[in-house]
Amino acid sequence: MLKNRPQELAIAERKLDEVGYLDIDVDPTLDLAEEIEKLKEEKNAIILAHYYVDAEIQDIADYIGDSLGLSQKAASTDADMIVFVGVHFMAETAKMLSPDKKVLLPDLKAGCSLADSCPPHLFKKFKEKYPDHVVVSYINCTAELKTLTDICCTSSNAVHVINSIPEDKGIIFAPDHNLGAYLIKETGRDLVLWNGTCMVHEIFSHEKITKLRLRHPEAKFIAHPECEAHILEMADFIGSTSGLLRYTQESDAKEFIVATEAGILHQMELASPEKTFIPAPPNNMCACNDCPHMKRNSMEKLYLCMKYEQPEIILPEWVIEKGIASIDRMLEISEKAGL
Ligand code: 13P
Ligand code: SF4
């Protein structure tokens, strides 16, 4: 931490809880990519970014991935500082996996509608109704919810996680109702579902996608399993962000209509510049499928957070100790499955 704090830093620190980030003006002439690179070296930091953040941030990240890949990276890095450019639950997961490291998130208010939909005190009551059930939680949940969870999963390994549970055991699945419904279909298991949804994946328009497909008859329609069932029913391929990216690389098709957050298109275009990627249209007048939480990250906030080492993710010890077992179990199952 800086010894001689400029006054503007002291003011920004006081406002941190309220605004979520260090609200300090950044010199607009600075080459932020270069400055961030220097800070990375100086502090032995690693920048982990999700596919949904802005392209310019993806371009300077050390690792870009889906929730599983990011967790695996957070668990194995030897950096002293993890700078997580994603959303709050992802940075919390990184902290649980590497409790001795400093974990930073450029904006603490980068949340997630799925995590918000499942407050731990309500889930605890819900869980009491099914005392013999195994609790599987999508990783898009708070650290505290992970303390009430037996096994976490991501969209990459959810089927493997469900299939790892003995057939005679009941299962509660939280918080994503759409992913849960998809898992019931894929595994044939009877899951008790919590009723949460992702605000980005629940707004795709069946009608607009159908019309778009008529205009692009050769295009493959690919979708993330957080989408609603009537959207998934139309899909040529369903997968996690990494799964969707891989599919576009391996497929012979030249056009793809993509039903997930539009940030992923950057990596798809970089990997297959000769192919065309069309974001699936949402059910409103907006032409974009941006996650407002992921998009709270910016180069300025990233730079400031690395410079001043704030905002930092701090978790109570009991949460880390109790919650980590569910993440470890997920990583073991993934390793066994070769994921
Ligand atoms: P994956 O990248 O693991 O598919 O998750 C998507 C998502 O919504 C992350 O918030
Ligand atoms: Fe949460 Fe949906 Fe945003 Fe992912 S895209 S962080 S699930 S709100």
Side-chain angles (χ1 to χ4, degrees):
M1 193 54 59
L2 294 183
K3 282 203 185 87
N4 299 318
R5 289 151 185 264
Q7 203 195 0
E8 59 173 354
L9 175 59
I11 295 169
E13 280 176 340
R14 281 202 293 278
K15 284 193 344 199
L16 192 55
D17 280 348
E18 189 195 324
V19 296
Y21 59 94
L22 286 177
D23 188 9
I24 298 175
D25 281 341
V26 175
D27 175 355
T29 63
L30 270 186
D31 181 337
L32 289 180
E34 204 178 291
E35 295 300 318
I36 289 167
E37 206 54 53
K38 276 193 233 157
L39 288 166
K40 223 158 65 174
E41 288 266 309
E42 196 184 298
K43 302 187 182 218
N44 188 27
I46 185 170
I47 299 179
L48 305 182
H50 190 268
Y51 292 121
Y52 294 165
V53 299
D54 284 342
E56 59 179 345
I57 302 178
Q58 293 188 33
D59 290 345
I60 55 151
D62 296 296
Y63 178 83
I64 318 156
D66 67 0
S67 307
L68 177 62
L70 288 163
S71 306
Q72 288 166 328
K73 203 71 192 171
S76 64
T77 181
D78 53 15
D80 295 318
M81 183 189 282
I82 298 174
V83 188
F84 213 114
V85 202
V87 290
H88 199 269
F89 77 82
M90 295 179 168
E92 278 186 335
T93 306
K95 183 67 186 175
M96 290 165 93
L97 285 162
S98 290
D100 299 330
K101 295 189 194 302
K102 186 170 261 193
V103 176
L104 305 174
L105 178 69
D107 187 332
L108 291 176
K109 289 197 191 282
C112 169
S113 64
L114 274 172
D116 291 346
S117 75
C118 198
H121 68 286
L122 295 182
F123 184 73
K124 207 170 170 191
K125 287 213 176 89
F126 177 75
K127 181 181 154 158
E128 277 163 13
K129 289 197 267 176
Y130 308 94
D132 300 327
H133 282 45
V134 175
V135 176
V136 177
S137 295
Y138 193 31
I139 200 161
N140 299 36
C141 65
T142 62
E144 202 181 328
L145 202 89
K146 290 179 174 83
T147 67
L148 302 168
T149 295
D150 296 302
I151 320 176
C152 272
C153 74
T154 73
S155 46
S156 290
N157 58 26
V159 168
H160 297 274
V161 167
I162 298 295
N163 286 337
S164 75
I165 298 166
E167 298 251 341
D168 60 340
K169 276 276 179 199
I171 303 171
I172 297 175
F173 185 80
D176 188 0
H177 192 276
N178 290 333
L179 176 60
Y182 169 74
L183 290 171
I184 291 174
K185 221 171 150 199
E186 285 298 295
T187 64
R189 298 294 287 269
D190 185 18
L191 312 182
V192 177
L193 302 181
W194 182 265
N195 197 15
T197 53
C198 160
M199 62 195 292
V200 177
H201 289 87
E202 71 175 349
I203 56 160
F204 291 111
S205 161
H206 193 283
E207 191 190 331
K208 288 185 192 169
I209 293 168
T210 306
K211 285 183 183 158
L212 194 59
R213 292 185 86 182
L214 289 173
R215 288 204 297 277
H216 299 269
E218 301 297 321
K220 295 285 182 200
F221 174 59
I222 61 176
H224 193 281
E226 286 175 24
C227 294
E228 293 175 324
H230 67 108
I231 301 292
L232 295 180
E233 273 160 22
M234 300 197 274
D236 295 304
F237 179 76
I238 298 167
S240 70
T241 49
S242 297
L244 297 176
L245 175 59
R246 206 175 315 116
Y247 179 82
T248 60
Q249 289 170 271
E250 291 169 1
S251 165
D252 293 333
K254 293 278 173 279
E255 272 189 312
F256 300 86
I257 300 167
V258 184
T260 191
E261 214 272 359
I264 185 77
L265 267 65
H266 180 54
Q267 292 304 318
M268 290 177 173
E269 283 160 353
L270 285 179
S272 309
E274 75 290 2
K275 299 181 181 177
T276 304
F277 301 97
I278 308 165
N283 218 344
N284 54 24
M285 303 318 280
C286 158
C288 56
N289 310 319
D290 285 341
C291 170
H293 298 290
M294 289 282 182
K295 268 32 184 197
R296 284 185 72 96
N297 291 287
S298 67
M299 289 290 276
E300 283 82 4
K301 288 180 190 171
L302 172 57
Y303 163 71
L304 289 168
C305 127
M306 291 183 75
K307 182 167 176 186
Y308 298 116
E309 303 184 13
Q310 295 185 73
E312 182 181 356
I313 299 289
I314 309 280
L315 288 172
E317 244 170 69
W318 76 267
V319 170
I320 298 182
E321 277 167 19
K322 199 153 178 237
I324 190 62
S326 64
I327 304 171
D328 283 344
R329 188 75 196 103
M330 172 190 85
L331 292 177
E332 277 163 33
I333 294 167
S334 304
E335 200 181 333
K336 252 196 210 153
L339 298 171

